[in-house]
Amino acid sequence: MESTDPPIPLSVGVKKRLSTFNITGDTMHDLATEFSKTYKLLSRTSETQFLPTPIPSSAPSGKEQGWYLAIDIGGTNFRVAFVKLSGHSKCDTWGERIWPIKEALKLDNEESLFAWIGQCIAGVVDSFILHRKASSKAVPDEIPMGVTFSFPMNQKSLSEATLMPMGKGFAFSSKSDLGTLLLRGYQSAKTSSDKELPSLKIMAIANDAVATLVALSYRVRAEPSGRVVLAVILATGSNAAISSNRVKWNKSAPIPPNDHEDAPLDDYNHIINTEWGLSGAAGPLKQLGLVNPYDEILDGMNETPGFQPFEYMTSGRYLGELTRLAALDIFSEELEFETWELPMIMTCKNGLTSKFLGMKVTEEQDVRKLCSVLTEHLPPRSLPGLPTTFSWTPPIAQIFQLISRRVKQRSAILIAAAIVGLLDAFGEINLKPRINDLGEPKLENGDLHTCSDAQAEDIVVACAGGVISNFPGYRETCQTYIDKLMHQQDPGQPFRRIVLRDTVDGGIIGAGVLAGTASNLEQARRI
């Protein structure tokens, strides 16, 4: 659901600055088309994007069973839980713990980060062992583990991964083996502990988008709700994963090690970690003039300028900062407030969080309550002898709200265009040229795509992340723009509907399901 702009008079200057976040319907369609072309090229040529996670085509079956340790290393938090798979697409979690990843760890070396991760894992494992003993249940000597890792990595198999530059505020870059780092950190915790802890065996490693896709696939196996093709993460960062048959995908890719070597190629699927936020996919944004001055400032302030331009425009780590930069500019240049009298948070890098904007500002309908909230959380400043003229009056508060809405809306449009472009690039839909003012298709190279009755099955997109949960109506807004793109294809004719579906705990559940899948395959090979 799209927000309604507050009925306040805006100066020409304010309107001009806000317009830099606007994207028209035609531009949205052009962006989806250009994204499709870019993704097709990157999927065949890039060494840092469209990275394969090899998964057998039968997985997940929904029949996986057993207890599995699952960890989820994100850009903001680290999560650990045990996942119980009960078959029939049923699963539960036990003992989940969540820790924020401190900035000091992000800026330190990899050994410090993974030593801390090992200690966290050991604490949850110890609790699980005590629980098993209290219930008079057998204690395993070795625990199978699935890993969700929210950063780029190269994978030669489902259980192996090599680190790549990370982003999201992590300063170090490494080509180390992820499994080795995790097991070394856990072993260090075991050694320093006076308790008997079982060993761990890493069965599966996947990116957070890949894990989310797997999690929803496991849950909906028994539902006639369409096919889960794509997963989108909108959390600290922004990413997507798409399922692709190896025969349809031309990029060289590894064969899953746990499957039978003589199986036909079309028995192998890959879930492709697109890493669509990286610079390789930035061409369409620049080509269509969608990178505004605030995006450029934010990019220049980041640890690695130019590294993840699409992520800077869409993800939770940056939506608050974009709002802050635009508000600071508009308040000082157009409303003519002195910088020193504006709220301290508005003058500090990363002072505004996306969560605060989503939960407290963007959708607040009561203007008096909005003024009160902003006064409480973003109080005006005053210096001795310098009386301030700034306060959160209704017009000022509504302008601030309007800025945050434009930032959110642009993010949703960009994500909608990227989803449609990615599905077109992998042949799931046929993105037609948009219609001109005369009702005629704007053809490129004489190519007019059509949709057939055979393509009526819904395409299900798993969605997860703080942007979706913290911004009320974000998923619905994104769905609206996707529907507009799809209806523009062929009005009145059958088409494949793209359905966004919330996927809670996708990182943890997906890691558990993949560990169960790998364990089942390993057992099958022993028979």
Side-chain angles (χ1 to χ4, degrees):
M1 182 181 299
E2 295 182 54
S3 304
T4 302
D5 289 345
I8 52 174
L10 300 174
S11 69
V12 173
V14 171
K15 289 180 179 179
K16 183 177 180 181
R17 282 169 161 78
L18 286 174
S19 70
T20 63
F21 291 101
N22 293 351
I23 300 176
T24 66
D26 284 350
T27 301
M28 177 174 64
H29 189 283
D30 292 342
L31 180 62
T33 302
E34 293 304 317
F35 270 148
S36 177
K37 295 175 185 177
T38 300
Y39 296 153
K40 286 176 183 177
L41 177 62
L42 290 173
S43 70
R44 290 163 171 78
T45 61
S46 177
E47 295 183 358
T48 59
Q49 294 178 264
F50 291 82
L51 308 170
T53 301
I55 296 176
S57 59
S58 60
S61 65
K63 300 177 182 179
E64 291 83 0
Q65 297 185 37
W67 282 98
Y68 302 94
L69 177 63
I71 71 171
D72 182 356
I73 306 171
T76 302
N77 298 315
F78 174 56
R79 303 171 66 195
V80 183
F82 277 85
V83 176
K84 182 182 180 181
L85 304 178
S86 305
H88 307 289
S89 296
K90 296 180 179 178
C91 62
D92 296 287
T93 59
W94 182 93
E96 181 172 354
R97 293 283 308 278
I98 303 175
W99 296 266
I101 302 176
K102 296 180 180 180
E103 291 300 315
L105 285 171
K106 294 181 181 182
L107 299 175
D108 207 341
N109 57 60
E110 63 186 28
E111 294 296 334
S112 298
L113 174 64
F114 285 95
W116 172 76
I117 287 174
Q119 291 175 353
C120 296
I121 294 173
V124 176
V125 170
D126 180 50
S127 297
F128 180 71
I129 297 303
L130 292 175
H131 172 72
R132 299 283 292 184
K133 289 180 177 179
S135 304
S136 300
K137 295 179 180 178
V139 175
D141 295 326
E142 183 178 74
I143 297 176
M145 180 171 74
V147 178
T148 292
F149 189 67
S150 303
F151 305 90
M153 54 187 169
N154 278 315
Q155 291 191 256
K156 294 182 178 179
S157 73
L158 185 57
S159 60
E160 299 176 291
T162 303
L163 298 186
M164 299 170 63
M166 295 173 66
K168 298 185 181 72
F170 288 79
F172 57 84
S173 175
S174 171
K175 294 184 178 180
S176 300
D177 180 78
L178 177 58
T180 299
L181 291 171
L182 286 169
L183 294 179
R184 185 185 299 158
Y186 178 70
Q187 184 59 43
S188 175
K190 279 183 62 178
T191 302
S192 61
S193 174
D194 58 356
K195 300 175 181 179
E196 291 287 335
L197 297 177
S199 60
L200 303 179
K201 183 176 182 180
I202 296 177
M203 303 302 301
I205 300 174
N207 177 267
D208 55 347
V210 173
T212 298
L213 193 156
V214 169
L216 186 58
S217 296
Y218 177 83
R219 286 167 167 163
V220 304
R221 272 294 185 176
E223 299 178 17
S225 56
R227 185 165 57 96
V228 184
V229 175
L230 183 68
V232 174
I233 300 296
L234 284 166
T236 304
S238 171
N239 195 20
I242 187 166
S243 179
S244 175
N245 186 285
R246 196 171 97 131
V247 172
K248 296 180 181 178
W249 189 50
N250 293 336
K251 196 175 187 179
S252 175
I255 295 175
N258 291 327
D259 222 336
H260 299 292
E261 295 180 0
D262 57 351
L265 286 180
D266 56 5
D267 280 352
Y268 296 103
N269 280 350
H270 287 80
I271 299 181
I272 311 303
N273 169 23
T274 67
E275 293 296 340
W276 68 7
L278 296 181
S279 58
L285 300 172
K286 298 175 180 178
Q287 177 183 336
L288 295 172
L290 300 179
V291 179
N292 68 26
Y294 309 115
D295 299 316
E296 294 174 345
I297 294 171
L298 187 149
D299 181 81
M301 293 167 58
N302 275 312
E303 301 86 356
T304 50
F307 183 55
Q308 296 172 307
F310 184 69
E311 185 164 293
Y312 300 156
M313 300 168 75
T314 58
S315 74
R317 179 175 170 83
Y318 305 106
L319 296 184
E321 183 65 358
L322 282 173
T323 300
R324 184 191 72 83
L325 290 170
L328 183 62
D329 178 46
I330 289 173
F331 283 18
S332 59
E333 296 299 323
E334 295 297 331
L335 304 184
E336 298 184 344
F337 290 111
E338 296 293 339
T339 302
W340 63 262
E341 61 184 329
L342 294 176
M344 176 72 75
I345 287 176
M346 287 182 61
T347 63
C348 297
K349 179 182 177 182
N350 297 323
L352 281 176
T353 67
S354 299
K355 184 175 182 178
F356 168 73
L357 294 174
M359 301 300 289
K360 299 288 187 179
V361 176
T362 308
E363 302 304 322
E364 180 57 63
Q365 299 298 316
D366 187 326
V367 177
R368 288 179 298 178
K369 185 175 180 181
L370 177 63
C371 292
S372 176
V373 166
L374 292 174
T375 300
E376 177 185 356
H377 293 276
L378 282 73
R381 282 191 294 177
S382 62
L383 297 177
L386 293 174
T388 181
T389 60
F390 178 84
S391 65
W392 288 110
T393 62
I396 300 300
Q398 288 180 301
I399 289 175
F400 183 76
Q401 182 184 60
L402 182 55
I403 296 168
S404 69
R405 286 181 174 179
R406 292 291 174 85
V407 171
K408 167 201 164 182
Q409 183 182 47
R410 186 186 68 161
S411 170
I413 293 173
L414 292 175
I415 292 298
I419 288 172
V420 171
L422 185 58
L423 290 170
D424 181 67
F426 277 73
E428 293 291 343
I429 61 172
N430 291 315
L431 182 60
K432 288 175 58 177
R434 60 183 169 88
I435 306 301
N436 64 20
D437 294 336
L438 299 177
E440 301 169 340
K442 295 184 176 180
L443 300 179
E444 285 191 330
N445 301 322
D447 184 23
L448 176 61
H449 298 298
T450 60
C451 295
S452 68
D453 292 338
Q455 295 177 307
E457 181 188 35
D458 285 348
I459 296 173
V460 179
V461 179
C463 298
V467 173
I468 293 171
S469 60
N470 293 331
F471 280 92
Y474 185 97
R475 179 177 60 82
E476 291 81 359
T477 300
C478 193
Q479 182 73 65
T480 297
Y481 287 116
I482 289 174
D483 290 345
K484 287 181 179 179
L485 280 168
M486 297 304 291
H487 278 292
Q488 190 173 352
Q489 300 298 298
D490 202 352
Q493 298 298 316
F495 64 93
R496 297 190 70 183
R497 184 162 181 260
I498 300 169
V499 180
L500 304 182
R501 182 162 170 176
D502 288 336
T503 307
V504 180
D505 293 332
I508 284 291
I509 299 297
V513 170
L514 284 172
T517 296
S519 295
N520 286 357
L521 288 170
E522 187 177 82
Q523 292 171 10
R525 293 188 66 187
R526 294 172 182 169
I527 298 175

